[in-house]
Amino acid sequence: MAAQAKHDWADDDDLDEVSTDLPPPQKIQNKDGTTTIIEYRYNDEGQKAKTTRRIRYITHREVVNPRVAERKQWAKFGQSAKDGLGPAHDTTTVGENIIFKPSTNWRKDARDESKDPNAQAMKDKLKDKKVKCRICNGEHFTARCPYKDTMAPIGEAAGGAADAAVGMGDEGGAGPAATGAAGAGKKGSYVPPALRGAGAGGAGAGAGERMGGKYGERDDLATLRVTNVSEMAEENELRDMFERFGRVTRVFLAKDRDTGMAKGFAFISFADRGDAVKACEKMDGFGFRHLILRVEFAKKAQ
DNA sequence: GATGAGCGG
């Protein structure tokens, strides 16, 4: 036993893998000056593969980038130290040859481009485009409209409020009537997706309909704030954790908008407040990724 | 320790 123990059976396989009946590479000189190289190797699936290449050796300086030619002469190192010069098929991927065409007169190039009919059509389209405010039809963005906060967008006149505001606009100033219109609700102001459809009771509120309250009010009756959340955590994980208590309607994991780094707290909204209560009780103090979660009902807007 | 996100030319 000891006599033959030097040989680890596990190594045998490896040896076989590389050294079994792979025919040696062949080089065939063709009459036209090219060389055909046939190599055998194992591919990723462990199957034998044959590679045939017909190449023409070029030594002319003008044809081969001299710096590339030089690199081919470099001695290899590391695990490739014993390999011959030039690229080896099993360690080298020959990339696509991307040709840059730096231009000294890009202005002229740009002009040429404009002759392209497609580009021209596009330009015409853009030329005709004018900024048109959705509120007052003025030549500014809706967001910059002076009546942004006092008027509903055209075609969405809410009762007499919008008309009143139009009247004010004609007089060139905002007055008490306009202020009243604003009080009725900022229709037309942007509502972020998370807040859309929010209203008393949550369900049944028609989209965009005012529920006697301000816009921007989120239904947080069944929303939990979870703090001490691992920065590695993902929204899906949180959802999975809380879903066992009831239907989770929203998971918000706070992250820095620029860096994307998790800020370590999250909001979980439930469809049913009773589920939220249960989840709050059970999950407060829950160990998650080496941290202990703190779970409480979210404040603000109730 | 922290209470949320943000249109579109």
Side-chain angles (χ1 to χ4, degrees):
Chain A
M1 167 192 163
Q4 61 193 67
K6 281 282 170 235
H7 226 88
D8 189 339
W9 62 270
D11 290 338
D12 268 353
D13 263 353
D14 277 350
L15 284 175
D16 285 348
E17 196 87 37
V18 235
S19 62
T20 35
D21 48 36
L22 269 188
Q26 306 176 46
K27 275 191 181 184
I28 303 158
Q29 294 294 336
N30 302 308
K31 285 185 195 136
D32 59 359
T34 59
T35 306
T36 299
I37 300 179
I38 303 172
E39 287 173 314
Y40 299 89
R41 65 195 166 87
Y42 287 103
N43 65 14
D44 293 343
E45 276 99 44
Q47 299 157 323
K48 234 190 280 181
K50 176 183 174 187
T51 315
T52 307
R53 291 183 293 166
R54 203 177 75 143
I55 60 169
R56 180 193 296 275
Y57 289 111
I58 304 170
T59 50
H60 202 267
R61 289 252 148 185
E62 252 73 52
V63 179
V64 173
N65 182 324
R67 281 192 279 177
V68 174
E70 193 210 348
R71 282 204 293 273
K72 285 185 179 171
Q73 303 303 311
W74 288 358
K76 298 192 177 172
F77 57 91
Q79 295 188 313
S80 296
K82 280 181 280 185
D83 293 358
L85 296 176
H89 62 75
D90 53 343
T91 54
T92 309
T93 305
V94 180
E96 207 179 318
N97 191 17
I98 299 170
I99 301 169
F100 286 100
K101 295 206 289 183
S103 164
T104 49
N105 53 350
W106 57 272
R107 279 176 194 283
K108 179 182 160 293
D109 290 354
R111 238 182 292 129
D112 290 349
E113 205 170 81
S114 72
K115 281 183 196 134
D116 175 40
N118 281 329
Q120 196 54 49
M122 184 61 84
K123 262 190 189 159
D124 288 345
K125 236 188 229 171
L126 287 173
K127 201 169 19 180
D128 291 346
K129 197 173 272 177
K130 276 228 172 71
V131 179
K132 190 173 164 194
C133 173
R134 286 204 318 265
I135 292 175
C136 70
N137 275 342
E139 272 188 47
H140 47 251
F141 287 155
T142 308
R144 318 201 56 180
C145 179
Y147 311 118
K148 178 162 74 100
D149 293 334
T150 55
M151 275 172 65
I154 287 166
E156 285 189 43
D163 293 335
V166 169
M168 295 315 295
D170 289 340
E171 287 163 35
T179 316
K186 292 188 195 175
K187 211 159 185 184
S189 60
Y190 173 71
V191 180
L195 263 44
R196 282 174 203 160
E209 197 173 337
R210 291 193 291 276
M211 299 295 292
K214 297 195 301 269
Y215 255 148
E217 201 167 289
R218 191 187 286 111
D219 179 16
D220 267 350
L221 295 171
T223 296
L224 301 175
R225 182 185 63 146
V226 185
T227 51
N228 211 26
V229 180
S230 161
E231 296 181 3
M232 309 280 154
E234 286 166 28
E235 282 187 356
N236 278 338
E237 286 179 286
L238 293 171
R239 179 179 286 271
D240 291 344
M241 279 196 299
F242 283 86
E243 222 156 28
R244 51 186 234 124
F245 300 100
R247 211 166 74 90
V248 172
T249 56
R250 201 168 56 94
V251 176
F252 177 88
L253 179 64
K255 7 189 137 108
D256 187 283
R257 211 153 60 84
D258 301 318
T259 68
M261 282 266 295
K263 291 204 266 194
F265 66 94
F267 292 93
I268 319 279
S269 300
F270 284 88
D272 180 52
R273 186 176 158 93
D275 294 336
V277 173
K278 274 186 282 171
C280 183
E281 283 168 5
K282 296 282 185 200
M283 294 304 288
D284 190 26
F286 185 81
F288 173 61
R289 293 208 182 212
H290 303 285
L291 293 177
I292 295 173
L293 296 183
R294 193 157 79 221
V295 182
E296 54 210 316
F297 270 86
K299 302 240 189 233
K300 189 183 183 184
Q302 267 199 42

